Amino acid sequence: MWHALALALAAATLCVGTASADDSQGVKIGVLTDMAGVTADATGKGSVEAARMAIEEAGGTLLGKPVALVYADHQHKPDVGSSIARTWYDTQGVDVIVDVPNSAVALAVQALAAQKKKLLLISSAGTTAVTQAQCSPYTVQWTYTTYALARGTASAVVQEGLKSWFILASDYAFGKQLAADTASVVNANGGKVVGTVYHPLNAADFASFLLQAQSSRAQVVALANAGGDTISAIKQAAEFGIVQGGQKLAAMLLLDTDVNSLGLPAAQGTYLTMPFYWNQNDGTRAFSTKFQARVGHPPTFLQAGVYGSVRHYLQAVKAAGTTDSDAVMRKMKELPIDDAFSMNAHIRDDGLVVRDMLLAQVKPPAQSTQPWDFYNVVRRIPGDSLAWPLADSQCPLVRK
């Protein structure tokens, strides 16, 4: 049944202009996302709308031909994601796939995209493997990495004097990499990880994991997971009295939709690192107002990443005068990234977008002046400090 559902979703099409399975008829963009799972609120419909907004801004046509948009739900299954991507690339004329929440799915699709010499712009998967050992000349990791989030958040919390950590992570590529990156940063700053435990994706019951965290007596319980898992873990941590007992929670990936679900009383004081905040500047506020009118809430940084990556891709196609993957990738690396939320951003040889990010803290309820007014920005973090040096890269594309 799931295979039939995947194929049905793969056939769903949103068009700007006229969609066609023949790529000679125009540019076609595929949003491979999570429409109903643990990260659906943070990606899903919003990612589709973000891509459509970028297409509309480009005028709906490119090089005299229409731009079309297709989307599908990968269900957090690498085999489903690969099957959809193969169909898109082979028979539906898709030129580029974007979004791809879930690192295991992203890595599977990346291998296929490299084989097919097709472009892949990853907004919502954070594993460093994408632009390290498994890097591809046809992939850009657009929005964030687990390395960047760990460097931004863990270093700030350890430097406040909270040295002992227990890590609760999701049991797939993203969670494992985020846990490893967090541990590395904690240790490098003089702290110590006293325990790590992994939970299944979309877990319903965190009791046994939280009891281990509680009994560890660690000063900080770090949550290396995402979406619904982060929300459930924080809510159940409150039921176990973890914060009341003196331990701190650190959410290594926290999105606006998560804070909205939790409420400010539960989330207040939490540190986070983010590449985009809707209330960041006039440009992000203008974009977010348009986005909210369609989706019902401001964009998460994952959804903003989809918009930015599609926007930059379309600019590169126009400049290159072709949809040829190699020519477009060269232009993407040459052109400046100029969307409203990208700060000092550029694409490196390994396909990683290096960008400044924001260290923020969730506001107490009394400081929030309007809906979705969630954060106090502590400072801007230079992008170079959030990316591994190219000299240390495992990517074979990097010239050393």
Side-chain angles (χ1 to χ4, degrees), residues 26-30 54-55 58 62-63 67-68 93-98 118-121 138 140 142 305-329 331-333 335-339 347:
V27 178
K28 185 176 282 190
I29 298 167
I55 294 169
L62 199 60
L63 307 180
V67 181
V94 167
D95 298 289
V96 59
I97 291 175
V98 303
K118 291 284 192 174
L119 294 183
L120 174 64
L121 309 180
Y138 300 100
V140 175
W142 187 264
V306 172
Y307 164 80
S309 64
V310 173
R311 186 176 190 271
H312 193 68
Y313 168 78
L314 294 175
Q315 290 174 339
V317 170
K318 182 177 180 179
T322 178
T323 58
D324 175 78
S325 295
D326 292 293
V328 173
M329 181 61 80
K331 281 298 180 184
M332 288 188 71
K333 291 181 176 179
L335 293 173
I337 297 173
D338 65 351
D339 59 74
I347 305 173

Side-chain angles (χ1 to χ4, degrees), residues 196-226:
T196 302
V197 65
Y198 297 95
H199 67 81
L201 183 67
N202 204 16
D205 186 2
F206 285 85
S208 64
F209 310 116
L210 291 169
L211 285 171
Q212 292 179 61
Q214 198 169 41
S215 63
S216 74
R217 300 182 183 274
Q219 293 172 294
V220 180
V221 178
L223 304 176
N225 48 20

Side-chain angles (χ1 to χ4, degrees), residues 264-265 267-269 361-369 373-376:
L264 289 178
Q268 63 180 311
Q361 192 172 24
V362 179
K363 290 181 174 182
Q367 291 183 14
S368 179
T369 60
D373 176 29
F374 292 153
Y375 309 119
N376 288 314

Side-chain angles (χ1 to χ4, degrees), residues 356-399:
D356 293 357
M357 297 192 185
L358 302 172
L359 178 66
Q361 192 172 24
V362 179
K363 290 181 174 182
Q367 291 183 14
S368 179
T369 60
Q370 59 181 306
W372 300 91
D373 176 29
F374 292 153
Y375 309 119
N376 288 314
V377 175
V378 178
R379 61 182 173 88
R380 182 185 290 196
I381 309 171
D384 288 343
S385 71
L386 298 173
W388 53 92
L390 282 175
D392 298 335
S393 176
Q394 302 169 29
C395 174
L397 302 174
V398 173
R399 299 181 295 271

Side-chain angles (χ1 to χ4, degrees), residues 116-138:
K116 302 289 184 181
K117 296 185 177 181
K118 291 284 192 174
L119 294 183
L120 174 64
L121 309 180
I122 297 174
S123 171
S124 300
T127 179
T128 57
V130 167
T131 40
Q132 281 272 34
Q134 298 184 48
C135 71
S136 162
Y138 300 100

